[in-house]
């Protein structure tokens, strides 16, 4: 997807935000968020696979070069190799019980 396609998606999202009726706007936003949530796993997996390919077992690009090339944060690249996702996909912290 090139810059023009990304712009069209952004324009469509802007149009949702401009829906005059608040209830209809919230319904539309909810549908968009649900549709994106379904895509996130696949999109993240494709990104992670490409990061691993570009790193090539240490013989390819550096973490910083990968981040620059893909337009992402270096921490996102590092997270792939720690076996953890970035952002909202991080594993939950386990809390110890006080024994009640």
């Amino acid at each position: 997807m090139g810059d023009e396609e990304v712009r069209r998606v952004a324009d469509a999202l802007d149009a949702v935000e401009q829906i005059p009726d608040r209830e209809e706007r919230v319904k539309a936003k909810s549908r968009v968020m649900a549709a994106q949530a379904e895509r996130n796993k696949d999109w993240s997996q494709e990104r992670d696979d490409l990061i691993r390919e570009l790193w090539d077992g240490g013989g390819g690009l550096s973490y910083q070069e990968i981040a620059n090339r893909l337009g992402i944060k270096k921490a996102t690249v590092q997270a792939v190799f720690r076996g953890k996702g970035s952002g909202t996909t991080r594993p939950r912290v386990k809390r110890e019980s006080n024994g009640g």
Side-chain angles (χ1 to χ4, degrees), residues 20-60:
D21 182 89
R22 184 178 184 203
E23 189 171 329
E24 290 304 314
R25 184 173 60 250
V26 168
K27 286 179 184 179
K29 286 179 176 182
S30 294
R31 288 192 303 270
V32 170
M33 288 186 296
Q36 186 55 44
E38 293 176 15
R39 290 179 174 89
N40 284 346
K41 184 177 179 181
D42 290 337
W43 287 21
S44 293
Q45 184 63 54
E46 183 177 17
R47 180 199 60 208
D48 294 356
D49 290 346
L50 180 56
I51 287 170
R52 287 186 187 94
E53 288 172 27
L54 292 171
W55 190 63
D56 192 24

Side-chain angles (χ1 to χ4, degrees), residues 67-96:
N68 292 345
R69 183 164 166 173
L70 298 182
I72 59 178
K73 294 180 181 180
K74 183 179 174 183
T76 301
V77 175
Q78 292 169 324
V80 170
F81 295 102
R82 284 194 309 264
K84 300 176 184 175
S86 62
T88 60
T89 61
R90 288 190 182 123
R92 293 179 184 232
V93 174
K94 293 182 182 178
R95 302 197 190 275
E96 291 186 31

